[in-house]
Amino acid sequence: PYYVGINQNLYLQASLHSSDPLLQLFLDTCVAAPSPHNFTAESYAIIKNGCVKDPTYTEYSSPHRHILRFGFSAFQFIQSSPEVYLRCELVVCRAYDYSSRCYQGCVHRSKRETSP
């Protein structure tokens, strides 16, 4: 576990270990939950489909495409355990492939319509 106080900045880094220098990382989704077993019922989206959901989220510059750095302000779920678990989904893309998910950025996915 990593201990951090409420409202203290939390910094994270993800690295891709590959011999291919033309690969890059993109943070698609990052969700927090009070339990490591359920990220759907009681969860909080920091990033979803590449869209920033938490106003304290910041992406930091990186010296390499295969390293992704970001941070946000630490929080605690109300009436829960003092622990917060993160699950982040990253996408690996070919650098300069402008049709890849990495270059699409925030994608607003519409919900399907249901017929009566």
Side-chain angles (χ1 to χ4, degrees):
Y2 183 77
Y3 298 97
V4 62
I6 301 291
N7 294 326
Q8 184 179 353
N9 287 335
L10 180 63
Y11 302 99
L12 296 100
Q13 175 173 298
S15 302
L16 175 65
H17 299 280
S18 171
S19 59
D20 187 342
L22 292 177
L23 294 179
Q24 71 180 64
L25 284 174
F26 174 74
L27 181 59
D28 181 73
T29 300
C30 198
V31 179
S35 165
H37 307 293
N38 188 353
F39 280 90
T40 54
E42 185 182 359
S43 65
Y44 176 77
I46 298 162
I47 297 277
K48 188 162 185 166
N49 299 322
C51 304
V52 175
K53 300 294 183 183
D54 184 301
T56 67
Y57 172 86
T58 303
E59 188 169 327
Y60 296 99
S61 63
S62 169
H64 305 286
R65 283 188 279 283
H66 64 273
I67 296 176
L68 181 70
R69 295 176 175 167
F70 63 98
F72 57 92
S73 183
F75 62 92
Q76 179 178 348
F77 285 92
I78 297 174
Q79 298 176 351
S80 259
S81 71
E83 299 171 342
V84 175
Y85 296 85
L86 292 177
R87 185 185 75 197
C88 298
E89 298 173 12
L90 293 97
V91 177
V92 178
C93 301
R94 173 95 25 217
Y96 311 112
D97 178 0
Y98 299 107
S99 65
S100 72
R101 178 68 188 96
C102 293
Y103 288 94
Q104 292 174 5
C106 175
V107 175
H108 295 285
R109 299 189 181 173
S110 59
K111 294 181 179 180
R112 294 182 187 168
E113 290 185 27
T114 58
S115 57

